[in-house]
Amino acid sequence: MTFLQPAILWALSLVALPLVIHLINQRRFQSVEWAAMMFLRSARALSRGYTRLRRWLIMLLRMAAVAAAVVAVSRPLSQGWLAAAGGDRGGTAIVLVDRSPSMAQASGPGGESKLDTARRQLAASLESLGVGRTILIDSVSYRPVELDSPRAILQATEAEPAAAAADLPRLMQAACEWLSESQGEAATIWICSDQRANDWKTADPAWEPIRETLAKLPQTVRLTLLGYPQPAEENLSVRVVDPVLEPRGNAWQLVMDVEVRRAAAGRPLRVPVGIELGRARSTVEVDLAGAEAILPRHAIPIDADVLATSGDPSQARGFGRVSIPADENPADNEFYFAFGVPPVRRSVVVADDAQARRVLGLVAGIPPDRLLRAAGDAVTAEAFAATPLDDVAVVLWQSAVPEGPAAEALMKFVDRGGEVIFLPPDAASNARFGGLGWGAWSEHSPPVRPASWRTEEGLLAGTRSGDPLPVGELEIRRSRAIEGEGTPLAVLPDGSPLVVRATGRGGVHFLATTPSSRDSDLAANGVVLYAIVQRAIDVGVAAVATARQADAGASGRGGAAAASDSFDWRQVDGPPSPSTEAGFHAGVYVTGEGVARDSAARDSAARGGLIAVNRPAAEDAADVVADRQVDAIFEGLRFTRFERKAGDRNGIVEEVWRLFLTAVLVALVVEGLLCLPSRTRPAVVARPAGVVA
């Protein structure tokens, strides 16, 4: 417990005053033996135990009354119900703010959000505690910012809502770094979060070193979680998937999937979804029976005035948004989209083996949809450095790992968003690319099948319907070891990797075998190879597309945060957001010169690329980290957790002196009752029979 006037607590020594007075009073009387009183003492012997107990109770109540009066005058603070307060008076408060879209959930439509409630409660509590310094670390910049006062949290731009997901391990790492540099300054880490599983990442290996760092710090560090885990059962969210511009006679039509979701299945609903394209407005009804409803391939005719072109029909593109009626969380009621004519799915094949070159060119040259266009070139490793790669989506490399000018050209290609898949050559090679290289060949007789592969992400992920790729049906007759640091996506029975993604280079993959019949049946069983190549092309095409979707805050290749570091962004649709956080707020942006919302926007969009930024899909899920998992994360540390709700008007830290004054009154009343003299009963005299009074 913390006190606003801790100096007064020295007066607690007055608790001994009733005991001292009692001892002094005992010395005022001397005991004298008197024979006539012996009979009275014997008569009162039965009641002596009760009398002594009552005297001790009276003594304890008087002492408790004095102690409660002193504590009340010292103005005690309570965090929750008489819990230990979250820091020492005058210390440092490090505030970690989760700005993710789920924190915009309110107590009701138009009510106060979880984030606003957390900011209000935290500002008031830190003021009451009288902290010396307030350090704010948010889930967008992850940089410590010192505030003038706790009240500044209410106006800080760094504590405003954003569309990006939070990364709690990264927030804690930033706090640990600041504490390590603060030269032993005692502090309390306040974590404001709604405990969403995608934000906390409980399986992240970074949590272990975080615990070790906090435990080894020389200063006192407390952790307090201000949690708002309550889900909104009736909250709805809307999302657009795969907006594609397709020709329709001499005009265009936009085809897209519209998804409406809620936290849990409930009563059937008919949800009106508004669609805006330029000045055009339309509404479509979506029937929601379970937890999710999809309106597949919804087609909208496109007028020429909503498209931005540079005179080339292949450059036609535009943007818009979908929305649903207001509910508990306004952050997921809108979704922005950008669309354009899909670019040519261009590939480059570099292969020493003729059969591998033919198979790779075939799987790369067949687009997954008849409306998509594909083109490919086969070049030698020597001629690769001079090959134009501006509009290439993927490079399939079955030759010695490139060095010199070829490696430099390939690295620039990867850095701007292209994808490269390396397949093993027969020739020996010691070179590495993206930290990976080739080892020795291994023969497998009989052929082996992949033992495991990652189905949740990457080139081998399951299909949209949830079905896994038939990776386990592949037969591998010969494979080459993959050396270096990377993430295995598929593993053979002996533990050697079949597919590896380079660490730090998301666009670089190594495949340990080739589609040649002597090495595997990748060509005969072409589903897996086709999926790998086409998925790589999908990622690479996004980097050269004139319009694309991006997750807010995603720092990987193609992510909004990474792109905003490389381009000058201008917002053309969506709520106004700080220019320094362009990749972290929902809206439509154009790379290049500043634009307006009229024809100038279309002209500027024709010169640059359109990027629609939205919340990540994981933010629409309602999975909450259990309390036991949070306790396990901070096991061994000074950790306190408090659960609150959006719109909660109660404070986190409150003065509880009234409680102690009540205790004083109760103690005095009970003490007075115990001091009351006992009622004496009238004596009953026995009379002989027949005697009349």
Side-chain angles (χ1 to χ4, degrees):
M1 186 176 296
T2 300
F3 301 87
L4 295 180
Q5 302 292 339
I8 298 179
L9 292 176
W10 289 102
L12 282 174
S13 57
L14 295 176
V15 170
L17 188 60
L19 180 60
V20 172
I21 294 175
H22 172 72
L23 295 176
I24 292 175
N25 283 336
Q26 277 192 331
R27 296 184 61 85
R28 289 175 57 191
F29 305 98
Q30 294 183 359
S31 299
V32 179
E33 294 293 336
W34 184 20
M37 297 298 295
M38 296 175 58
F39 297 101
L40 293 177
R41 292 175 61 183
S42 299
R44 296 179 61 89
L46 294 176
S47 63
R48 183 179 301 171
Y50 168 74
T51 301
R52 182 174 299 175
L53 176 61
R54 187 177 69 171
R55 287 175 180 175
W56 280 110
L57 287 176
I58 292 173
M59 179 72 65
L60 292 175
L61 287 171
R62 288 173 179 173
M63 297 173 70
V66 173
V70 173
V71 173
V73 174
S74 64
R75 299 180 63 187
L77 298 175
S78 173
Q79 215 179 25
W81 178 248
L82 296 180
D88 297 324
R89 182 170 174 81
T92 298
I94 304 176
V95 181
L96 309 184
V97 180
D98 177 354
R99 300 172 60 185
S100 61
S102 58
M103 284 290 284
Q105 177 188 323
S107 54
E112 187 179 50
S113 68
K114 291 180 177 179
L115 181 58
D116 289 339
T117 302
R119 295 164 65 189
R120 172 177 54 78
Q121 291 181 329
L122 195 55
S125 300
L126 295 183
E127 279 192 332
S128 298
L129 289 171
V131 297
R133 302 174 66 185
T134 303
I135 308 298
L136 176 65
I137 305 177
D138 69 286
S139 60
V140 167
S141 66
Y142 296 94
R143 292 191 299 267
V145 176
E146 184 166 0
L147 304 179
D148 296 334
S149 66
R151 186 62 56 178
I153 296 176
L154 301 176
Q155 290 80 35
T157 303
E158 294 84 358
E160 295 289 341
D167 188 335
L168 265 297
R170 187 177 174 186
L171 280 172
M172 287 297 301
Q173 286 173 338
C176 290
E177 291 174 3
W178 189 91
L179 287 169
S180 299
E181 299 172 358
S182 62
Q183 300 180 350
E185 185 174 350
T188 299
I189 300 176
W190 294 79
I191 307 172
C192 301
S193 174
D194 58 352
Q195 298 180 218
R196 291 298 179 97
N198 64 297
D199 297 328
W200 278 76
K201 304 177 181 178
T202 55
D204 196 312
W207 281 116
E208 182 63 28
I210 289 173
R211 279 195 302 271
E212 295 177 356
T213 300
L214 292 174
K216 294 178 181 178
L217 288 173
Q219 63 265 47
T220 301
V221 179
R222 295 185 176 93
L223 297 102
T224 302
L225 170 60
L226 182 56
Y228 298 83
Q230 295 79 11
E233 299 293 343
E234 296 298 325
N235 182 68
L236 302 179
S237 63
V238 67
R239 177 174 297 274
V240 170
V241 180
D242 294 337
V244 178
L245 194 63
E246 298 180 353
R248 185 189 182 201
N250 296 327
W252 301 93
Q253 69 175 1
L254 174 64
V255 179
M256 59 184 180
D257 296 343
V258 179
E259 296 181 354
V260 178
R261 306 179 68 181
R262 57 182 168 185
R267 57 187 177 86
L269 296 175
R270 173 160 290 184
V271 183
V273 178
I275 302 175
E276 299 182 20
L277 286 172
R279 296 185 179 88
R281 306 288 190 275
S282 62
T283 301
V284 59
E285 302 283 345
V286 177
D287 292 323
L288 181 61
E292 180 181 14
I294 300 178
L295 185 65
R297 289 193 59 80
H298 179 66
I300 306 172
I302 300 297
D303 296 330
D305 61 351
V306 302
L307 295 178
T309 65
S310 58
D312 182 358
S314 66
Q315 298 295 310
R317 55 197 178 274
F319 58 87
R321 66 173 175 171
V322 297
S323 61
I324 57 177
D327 56 12
E328 293 173 297
N329 192 345
D332 55 17
N333 291 341
E334 291 185 335
F335 195 91
Y336 298 88
F337 57 88
F339 55 89
V341 176
V344 177
R345 302 166 68 87
R346 191 173 298 278
S347 61
V348 171
V349 177
V350 179
D352 295 339
D353 183 83
Q355 184 180 1
R357 181 168 56 250
R358 183 171 60 255
V359 173
L360 293 175
L362 183 63
V363 296
I366 302 177
D369 190 283
R370 62 180 180 82
L371 296 175
L372 299 177
R373 299 165 295 161
D377 297 309
V379 300
T380 63
E382 294 75 13
F384 179 79
T387 302
L389 301 175
D390 293 340
D391 58 348
V392 173
V394 69
V395 173
L396 304 175
W397 192 284
Q398 193 265 324
S399 186
V401 176
E403 298 180 282
E408 293 178 4
L410 194 57
M411 187 63 71
K412 291 180 180 179
F413 168 76
V414 172
D415 288 341
R416 65 99 169 137
E419 293 279 310
V420 57
I421 299 177
F422 286 93
L423 294 90
D426 286 331
S429 175
N430 295 323
R432 294 197 175 192
F433 189 90
L436 296 176
W438 297 115
W441 279 96
S442 297
E443 301 283 346
H444 304 290
S445 181
V448 297
R449 298 178 184 271
S452 63
W453 62 96
R454 302 185 67 164
T455 61
E456 71 279 5
E457 63 172 345
L459 300 183
L460 301 177
T463 63
R464 285 188 185 176
S465 62
D467 298 328
L469 288 177
V471 180
E473 299 177 7
L474 294 176
E475 290 188 354
I476 310 300
R477 304 180 181 93
R478 201 168 68 121
S479 65
R480 192 165 185 178
I482 302 174
E483 299 178 342
E485 294 293 331
T487 303
L489 301 183
V491 178
L492 295 176
D494 61 358
S496 60
L498 176 62
V499 181
V500 175
R501 182 178 61 224
T503 301
R505 294 285 180 183
V508 178
H509 291 81
F510 273 61
L511 177 60
T513 189
T514 75
S516 175
S517 58
R518 65 173 178 171
D519 294 334
S520 71
D521 66 345
L522 279 172
N525 186 1
V527 175
V528 176
L529 181 62
Y530 183 78
I532 290 175
V533 173
Q534 292 300 322
R535 286 175 176 179
I537 293 176
D538 288 339
V539 177
V541 162
V544 297
T546 58
R548 64 185 180 92
Q549 307 289 118
D551 287 343
S555 57
R557 299 170 63 257
S564 62
D565 292 337
S566 305
F567 298 99
D568 181 18
W569 283 31
R570 298 294 182 269
Q571 189 173 10
V572 295
D573 197 9
S577 61
S579 58
T580 56
E581 297 181 351
F584 298 88
H585 293 267
V588 180
Y589 301 83
V590 60
T591 61
E593 300 178 0
V595 296
R597 291 178 179 268
D598 51 15
S599 59
R602 297 191 297 274
D603 295 339
S604 180
R607 294 191 296 270
L610 285 174
I611 302 179
V613 178
N614 294 281
R615 66 192 182 278
E619 282 295 315
D620 292 343
D623 297 334
V624 175
V625 176
D627 291 343
R628 57 179 175 79
Q629 293 178 286
V630 176
D631 293 339
I633 287 176
F634 299 114
E635 184 179 3
L637 303 175
R638 298 182 179 182
F639 172 66
T640 308
R641 179 181 59 250
F642 296 97
E643 185 173 317
R644 292 292 186 269
K645 296 181 180 180
D648 190 352
R649 308 310 299 180
N650 296 325
I652 307 170
V653 177
E654 300 175 343
E655 291 194 49
V656 291
W657 56 268
R658 296 178 181 84
L659 178 63
F660 289 93
L661 284 184
T662 303
V664 172
L665 295 176
V666 171
L668 293 178
V669 169
V670 176
E671 185 263 352
L673 293 175
L674 291 175
C675 289
L676 291 176
S678 58
R679 296 178 60 184
T680 58
R681 296 181 180 180
V684 179
V685 180
R687 300 175 184 271
V691 178
V692 179

